[in-house]
Amino acid sequence: MNNKAYKYEKYMRKLPYIKDLQLYKAVGMTLYLIIDKNRTLKFALSSASTKHNFKPKKRIEDLVRIALPDDFFDKRQRANAPKEKREEAAIRHQMLRDMEAQADLHINSMREKNE
């Protein structure tokens, strides 16, 4: 008996009831490919739509986006970025925070002068 636990099953529980069996299978396959196999959304949608003969892909995508957290793809994209790019972005964000803090101090000092 196959007792392997798949991560995508946790996300399948978040879905509303899907009456159409072909759509349900296509959504399940899409989530499996995205989460367990780390495939792109476009590839997963195309594969599931073809295999389960379900059109339009937009209906599958809508249900997949309901099941996944809003920031799922952003987090995965950041995690897959090269380390150098992540470090550069961290430095840029720190510099931006420092500049915003300096701007706030400047504005506050100007307000104090006017009072």
Side-chain angles (χ1 to χ4, degrees):
M1 187 122 202
N2 186 5
N3 290 330
K4 185 174 181 180
Y6 294 102
K7 296 176 194 170
Y8 84 96
E9 291 172 342
K10 175 178 87 171
Y11 295 98
M12 287 290 289
R13 291 188 201 111
K14 295 180 182 180
L15 290 172
Y17 178 75
I18 301 172
K19 192 173 185 179
D20 186 357
L21 185 61
Q22 293 299 98
L23 176 60
Y24 179 79
K25 288 180 179 181
V27 170
M29 182 177 173
T30 304
L31 286 171
Y32 168 74
L33 290 171
I34 291 171
I35 296 166
D36 290 336
K37 295 297 182 183
N38 277 335
R39 296 296 191 150
T40 63
L41 175 64
K42 185 176 180 179
F43 175 85
L45 284 171
S46 178
S47 297
S49 176
T50 302
K51 175 163 174 129
H52 294 289
N53 196 24
F54 190 86
K55 302 281 187 217
K57 294 179 194 175
K58 182 68 177 151
R59 287 187 56 201
I60 301 170
E61 182 179 354
D62 290 343
L63 289 168
V64 166
R65 290 193 183 274
I66 289 171
L68 294 175
D70 294 335
D71 59 350
F72 177 82
F73 294 107
D74 293 334
K75 284 182 179 177
R76 188 162 82 172
Q77 186 176 12
R78 278 193 302 264
N80 291 337
K83 186 176 181 182
E84 301 84 32
K85 293 289 183 192
R86 285 182 286 182
E87 290 170 353
E88 289 174 15
I91 292 169
R92 277 196 309 273
H93 289 317
Q94 181 61 42
M95 289 172 61
L96 182 61
R97 280 194 294 269
D98 292 345
M99 289 190 316
E100 287 174 346
Q102 288 176 353
D104 288 342
L105 287 173
H106 178 68
I107 290 174
N108 289 337
S109 68
M110 291 177 69
R111 285 184 184 151
E112 289 174 1
K113 284 182 185 178
N114 292 335
E115 290 177 357

